[in-house]
Amino acid sequence: MNTSGFVQEKDKREGWNRPPHIEPDGEGELLEVAMGPHHPSTHGVFRMDVALDGERVIRLKPVFGYLHRNHEKIAEGIGYLGSMPFTDRLDYMCPLTNNWAYALAVEKLTGQQVPERAEYLRVIVGELTRVVNHASSIGFLIQEMGASGTPLMYAFKAREKILDLFEELTGARMMCNYMRFGGCRVDATAEWLAATRKVVAGLPKFADEYERLLRGNEILMARTQGIGILRPELAVNAGVTGPMLRASGINYDIRRVDGYSIYNRFKFRVPLGEHWDVYDRFMIRLLEMRESFGILEQALKEIPTGPVMDPKAKIRGFRPKPGEAYGRIEAPKGELGFYLISDGGPNPYRYRVRPPSLVNLTVLEDMCLGSNVADVVLIFGSVDIVLGEVDR
Amino acid sequence: MKTVEEIKAAIETAIPGAGVVIVPNPSVSGQHSLRITPAHAVAVATFLRDDAELSLDFLSNATGVDWPDKEVSEKVKITRTVTKTVDGQEQQVEETVEETQKRVVPGCLETVCHLFSVSKGHGPVVIRMKTANRTDQVELPSLTPIWRSAEFQEREIFDLFGIVFTGHPDLRRLLMWDEFKDHPMRRDYVEPDDFEYEPTAHDEVLTRAQEHQAKLAGMAAGQEGAGA
Amino acid sequence: MAVDDGLKIELGKQGVFVTTIEELYNWGRKNSIWPMQFGLACCAIEMIATTMARYDMARFGAEVFRPSPRQADLMIISGTVTKKMAPQVVRLYNQMAEPKYVIAMGACAISGGPFKQGYNVLKGIDRYIPVDVHIPGCPPRPEALLHAFMTLQKKIDEQPLTGEGRPRHLDAEAQSEFPVPVQGEHDLEPASNKGVWTVPVVIR
């Protein structure tokens, strides 16, 4: 598979993937500040211990665990299906894609087949979630730049329409708990599909308005271009996935690479970045939102009739045979994977969530060293993390 | 992509004596793993990353598993010489008796890593490493110098399971606070007891909540007795 | 001397406005509560949605979310409080100036919620600080948060200025700062603040 423009640097130097060492150029001591855990612009309870030389960052160490709710330990006692509502609360901006990743992992473990209509429904709600996530993420990033609240209001306006759809389909605005092993929980009615088509038809206008307000904005361009550069080879070595990886020019989208579910049937492009900075990440998210509109239109046109649950699926007494499986999807934030070890009992022996946000944070230090404190906030916003996933 | 057997052969050609063992995966997913020894882990990992055909440059997931000590009771045939009376005469006869013996198989902690290739687009290749036991010999070599994405994930394994990674640049606790003493994801971890109030308790939580209520009632009665 | 409502309305028609100092004081307080920007987890997203265009919290006077605890009146604990975060929550509460109120939003803040079996989850923030309004839900809808807000406004409205039940900032002996728990080796020490939270007795 060709990854355009990327050459792996087989650099044998000791520590080529370690953060660079910055020399303070002033005199006197470094000022050590703890940004967080209660901070207006950290997306949740997250702390960064920064050592500053004037305004420049010399050292940065992230500290998390403030939202560690031991999801993995609970899953060992609550059964396979019992973990499904808990996966909603992992990345709480996109609950449906979390459900999907977990259902995919269990289906890999047991070899269950998912009927066609269920796959289409999964793609539709998954791409709607992607739109919600990317719009909100851009809104939060711009809010941290000082535009206090207005872009976020536009994003949440679109989000409320999509949440109405989710509520009608699944019963809940946010914690949907919609996927099951072998399909989806309930079927969508024709009215719901008609309402979704109407909402999706209005989404390109929302994206146009959003883009027109932000794209050529001088403040945005001055503050985000050239900031937070992430080299491609470091991005790959550090396990970065999602829009951050594609903004560094690497063509790796799990929907294309793995071809899970029915993504092979849809035509969509994968935008890549050229300058590897915060502005690229912001634009990638806008462009991916537009590609999602295309996938949604195709899926809504082609959705067949049929059952939404595998008829052979066992809901009660679900005991998969011993073995293990690792299933992953392209969540809006990156690669969300679930690793399950089954010992034949009703509870998983080991249940592991591979969080995209935690692994994407590995390179936060590299990107922030040498820049100003105000840029740290923007770089951190462009990584787009959510603490429920980092800490689980 | 190569199969597990081909990868094992490639590793052993490149690094003789590496001691790679295939761990089959009985489930439908077909993701078999390779167990590597801690002594050769860094060499094997560097080979996996830099080989032209495999090119596994992306460590996706690194996690720990706890396999506790198991008590195994097995039936063992023991041959013993016993004095028995046969036809009125005492003779030394060999007897084979089946006895059940119990022994403890020591547990271990294990690290599992999932590797993918971004440049080639294949994966996953699963590698595993085991520690010698769960109590004192819990060191494993760190894979952070080879794949940077292991940095935070190995810190989390250290925090929750207790595996000490030698060669890690900054091994501290990640999710729990620094003064915390236990390793919570182990199977024998006992949670602190703050279940005093449980409106809809059942099973073991109900027994714990009832003990708490009994203690409270006892304390209240004691205070009344002291006050009266 | 209390004035009955019929007389008030009659006087109002004539352009004379009769009220008590208590009513006026509380009216001013309840319509300008400034919450602190304090979102912990998933409930925070619903809290943000409540301040957005559809369920507008600005019409209740709570538009200005202050990041600094010194300038805030209300702390909406939205999300799970973990034992690692609990000392900081209590510290922030201590830093708020009187009069201050707490809304425990969501099941996790009330009692630990779905994550109650957690070695790191604090089973309810009311173990360490006094809570005024509890909202159940996981997450509670924005309308539920608005209802809680109105309940808090009603509670403020009913507080007399003298005597029993007066708010803490008019009471010299009331405790307004609470001890911060310390992170020990296995758990927080102390596990709960006995002065604030007593174990409820379950009657079956």
Side-chain angles (χ1 to χ4, degrees):
Chain A
M1 195 187 85
N2 182 27
T3 58
S4 53
F6 164 57
V7 173
Q8 165 107 59
E9 244 187 51
K10 302 228 187 340
D11 199 320
K12 299 287 188 296
R13 264 197 321 240
E14 249 326 284
W16 69 273
N17 60 356
R18 303 302 313 151
H21 181 67
I22 308 276
E23 277 300 323
D25 55 39
E27 294 166 1
E29 294 177 350
L30 296 176
L31 176 67
E32 295 197 0
V33 176
M35 290 174 69
H38 170 247
H39 193 222
S41 20
T42 60
H43 298 210
V45 281
F46 178 75
R47 187 172 124 207
M48 292 186 270
D49 284 337
V50 288
L52 299 171
D53 168 41
E55 280 275 329
R56 280 173 71 227
V57 174
I58 302 296
R59 210 171 45 233
L60 187 147
K61 293 277 173 230
V63 180
F64 23 83
Y66 290 100
L67 199 60
H68 179 56
R69 303 183 277 198
N70 57 273
H71 172 212
E72 301 182 355
K73 187 106 188 169
I74 291 179
E76 284 175 10
I78 211 166
Y80 285 90
L81 193 57
S83 283
M84 189 61 95
F86 286 92
T87 59
D88 280 330
R89 281 134 181 108
L90 274 177
D91 173 0
Y92 37 80
M93 297 292 302
C94 342
L96 282 158
T97 43
N98 303 345
N99 286 350
W100 192 357
Y102 183 45
L104 198 84
V106 175
E107 282 153 17
K108 262 208 173 124
L109 182 67
T110 55
Q112 279 171 317
Q113 296 297 319
V114 181
E116 284 269 311
R117 188 173 166 90
E119 293 278 25
Y120 273 90
L121 279 175
R122 282 183 175 184
V123 168
I124 292 173
V125 293
E127 293 303 317
L128 281 173
T129 314
R130 197 180 305 271
V131 169
V132 160
N133 176 272
H134 284 332
S136 310
S137 152
I138 296 172
F140 281 119
L141 177 69
I142 315 269
Q143 187 180 13
E144 280 151 27
M145 232 179 273
S148 60
T150 314
L152 195 60
M153 291 251 183
Y154 280 85
F156 269 64
K157 195 173 74 168
R159 179 176 182 256
E160 288 290 336
K161 292 203 185 84
I162 296 179
L163 286 187
D164 278 344
L165 289 174
F166 287 164
E167 190 175 2
E168 205 182 317
L169 180 67
T170 70
R173 279 159 56 96
M174 271 174 74
M175 307 304 173
C176 301
N177 186 14
Y178 180 56
M179 317 274 176
R180 292 285 179 267
F181 315 131
C184 299
R185 181 161 52 99
V186 292
D187 199 353
T189 58
E191 290 91 23
W192 186 82
L193 287 171
T196 312
R197 281 187 193 107
K198 214 162 111 186
V199 169
V200 171
L203 282 178
K205 201 162 78 96
F206 151 72
D208 285 337
E209 192 183 39
Y210 212 39
E211 217 178 306
R212 208 175 54 235
L213 286 172
L214 296 174
R215 194 162 140 178
N217 187 313
E218 307 172 331
I219 302 179
L220 181 76
M221 285 167 60
R223 281 207 69 183
T224 56
Q225 286 181 341
I227 305 289
I229 304 222
L230 177 63
R231 300 178 343 251
E233 53 272 2
L234 179 62
V236 172
N237 193 270
V240 172
T241 47
M244 250 183 97
L245 182 66
R246 293 192 281 281
S248 288
I250 310 284
N251 186 359
Y252 194 72
D253 185 332
I254 301 177
R255 296 176 286 178
R256 280 276 157 82
V257 172
D258 278 359
Y260 63 92
S261 182
I262 46 170
Y263 273 108
N264 294 330
R265 303 187 197 178
F266 300 115
K267 276 217 258 284
F268 62 98
R269 297 177 295 178
V270 177
L272 297 176
E274 277 180 342
H275 299 279
W276 318 334
D277 57 6
V278 173
Y279 187 71
D280 268 1
R281 285 173 215 137
F282 153 76
M283 281 308 295
I284 296 273
R285 290 196 172 100
L286 270 176
L287 293 169
E288 279 191 8
M289 223 164 56
R290 290 191 183 276
E291 297 303 321
S292 290
F293 301 156
I295 301 178
L296 278 166
E297 279 164 22
Q298 294 171 50
L300 282 166
K301 210 163 56 175
E302 295 169 19
I303 180 167
T305 50
V308 284
M309 227 5 227
D310 179 20
K312 294 199 290 282
K314 220 169 155 202
I315 307 277
R316 300 195 190 285
F318 181 71
R319 280 166 207 259
K321 299 210 177 50
E324 57 179 56
Y326 179 70
R328 61 180 191 162
I329 66 160
E330 176 77 22
K333 301 213 155 52
E335 171 189 332
L336 175 62
F338 279 79
Y339 173 59
L340 293 162
I341 301 185
S342 155
D343 59 354
N347 299 331
Y349 184 81
R350 174 85 176 101
Y351 168 100
R352 150 84 178 171
V353 181
R354 187 262 184 207
S357 304
L358 176 69
V359 187
N360 285 356
L361 277 180
T362 315
V363 287
L364 184 66
E365 195 179 348
D366 297 60
M367 291 193 289
C368 290
L369 289 181
S371 44
N372 297 334
V373 175
D375 294 334
V376 168
V377 170
L378 286 182
I379 297 170
F380 177 67
S382 75
V383 177
D384 188 21
I385 69 164
V386 71
L387 261 301
E389 211 170 42
V390 170
D391 292 337
R392 282 152 287 135
Chain B
M1 197 186 78
K2 296 179 169 171
T3 61
V4 203
E5 289 84 16
E6 290 168 1
I7 301 180
K8 172 181 157 146
I11 297 176
E12 287 181 338
T13 325
I15 303 162
V20 176
V21 173
I22 295 183
V23 178
N25 182 356
S27 83
V28 179
S29 68
Q31 292 167 352
H32 308 288
S33 16
L34 295 162
R35 175 165 293 133
I36 59 182
T37 53
H40 296 103
V42 174
V44 171
T46 319
F47 166 73
L48 286 173
R49 184 190 69 173
D50 295 334
D51 179 49
E53 268 194 58
L54 288 175
S55 186
L56 294 165
D57 47 13
F58 179 67
L59 173 76
S60 169
N61 174 34
T63 184
V65 191
D66 183 22
W67 302 103
D69 302 338
K70 259 196 311 208
E71 208 181 61
V72 168
S73 51
E74 37 185 35
K75 289 189 165 23
V76 173
K77 287 196 162 108
I78 304 181
T79 322
R80 277 202 299 255
T81 30
V82 162
T83 330
K84 262 173 114 166
T85 10
V86 175
D87 295 335
Q89 278 183 335
E90 283 203 5
Q91 278 184 6
Q92 301 282 58
V93 173
E94 281 200 355
E95 230 180 31
T96 324
V97 171
E98 253 193 31
E99 275 189 356
T100 23
Q101 271 189 349
K102 286 198 186 199
R103 63 189 176 97
V104 173
V105 177
C108 65
L109 299 163
E110 192 177 30
T111 311
V112 182
C113 300
H114 289 80
L115 306 167
F116 289 83
S117 172
V118 166
S119 46
K120 296 257 163 42
H122 57 230
V125 171
V126 189
I127 57 177
R128 311 173 94 97
M129 271 195 283
K130 275 208 305 205
T131 62
N133 62 26
R134 285 170 88 235
T135 45
D136 50 332
Q137 292 167 321
V138 288
E139 282 107 26
L140 283 179
S142 163
L143 296 178
T144 308
I146 304 151
W147 292 292
R148 176 92 184 269
S149 63
E151 187 176 345
F152 285 172
Q153 303 194 61
E154 283 178 353
R155 272 178 68 183
E156 184 190 332
I157 302 175
F158 165 65
D159 185 4
L160 298 180
F161 284 93
I163 302 180
V164 176
F165 288 95
T166 50
H168 193 280
D170 180 19
L171 195 66
R172 295 174 287 158
R173 279 187 180 268
L174 193 80
L175 296 173
M176 303 301 292
W177 58 89
D178 288 322
E179 296 88 19
F180 198 71
K181 278 275 180 302
D182 301 316
H183 297 288
M185 277 297 286
R186 291 201 179 180
R187 299 237 128 192
D188 52 0
Y189 172 68
V190 178
E191 288 169 356
D193 194 5
D194 42 3
F195 284 86
E196 302 93 334
Y197 169 58
E198 279 298 329
T200 53
H202 55 88
D203 300 340
E204 56 167 67
V205 176
L206 179 61
T207 29
R208 273 193 284 177
Q210 282 171 339
E211 284 166 19
H212 267 289
Q213 295 284 329
K215 207 162 47 165
L216 275 179
M219 274 188 346
Q223 279 175 352
E224 275 173 43
Chain C
M1 186 191 84
V3 182
D4 70 327
D5 291 327
L7 188 54
K8 268 192 194 169
I9 295 173
E10 276 304 312
L11 286 170
K13 287 188 191 151
Q14 307 291 330
V16 179
F17 183 56
V18 180
T19 180
T20 61
I21 296 233
E22 210 170 82
E23 240 178 72
L24 210 51
Y25 188 77
N26 286 335
W27 173 82
R29 280 202 305 140
K30 77 177 185 192
N31 284 326
S32 67
I33 301 180
W34 286 4
M36 188 163 76
Q37 207 179 42
F38 189 58
L40 288 169
C42 349
C43 285
I45 307 295
E46 288 292 54
M47 186 172 77
I48 295 174
T50 314
T51 62
M52 289 288 132
R54 189 186 265 195
Y55 313 96
D56 189 12
M57 197 127 109
R59 31 186 183 140
F60 294 90
E63 178 176 19
V64 194
F65 270 66
R66 310 303 304 164
S68 159
R70 305 268 183 210
Q71 302 166 2
D73 301 317
L74 168 69
M75 186 153 87
I76 305 181
I77 313 259
S78 50
T80 320
V81 187
T82 56
K83 292 183 181 164
K84 193 165 178 181
M85 187 66 192
Q88 333 306 352
V89 174
V90 181
R91 243 181 232 127
L92 284 168
Y93 182 74
N94 289 344
Q95 285 177 353
M96 282 165 73
E98 289 287 357
K100 53 189 176 184
Y101 300 96
V102 175
I103 291 183
M105 175 179 179
C108 291
I110 298 178
S111 71
F115 301 97
K116 192 156 185 174
Q117 286 165 274
Y119 47 84
N120 194 23
V121 172
L122 185 68
K123 319 231 181 323
I125 189 61
D126 53 359
R127 286 186 176 219
Y128 290 110
I129 55 179
V131 171
D132 293 299
V133 182
H134 303 258
I135 321 174
C138 189
R141 286 187 63 101
E143 288 102 332
L145 179 58
L146 290 175
H147 179 72
F149 204 75
M150 294 199 298
T151 313
L152 181 67
Q153 284 183 329
K154 210 156 53 168
K155 184 174 172 177
I156 295 177
D157 208 16
E158 289 162 2
Q159 280 180 329
L161 292 187
T162 53
E164 199 59 41
R166 60 186 192 273
R168 279 204 303 265
H169 67 285
L170 297 173
D171 187 354
E173 276 102 48
Q175 184 186 15
S176 87
E177 299 203 0
F178 295 88
V180 176
V182 168
Q183 286 162 344
E185 295 194 345
H186 302 282
D187 194 5
L188 284 179
E189 283 145 18
S192 64
N193 185 344
K194 297 282 185 295
V196 175
W197 184 74
T198 49
V199 179
V201 178
V202 179
I203 305 170
R204 294 181 204 280

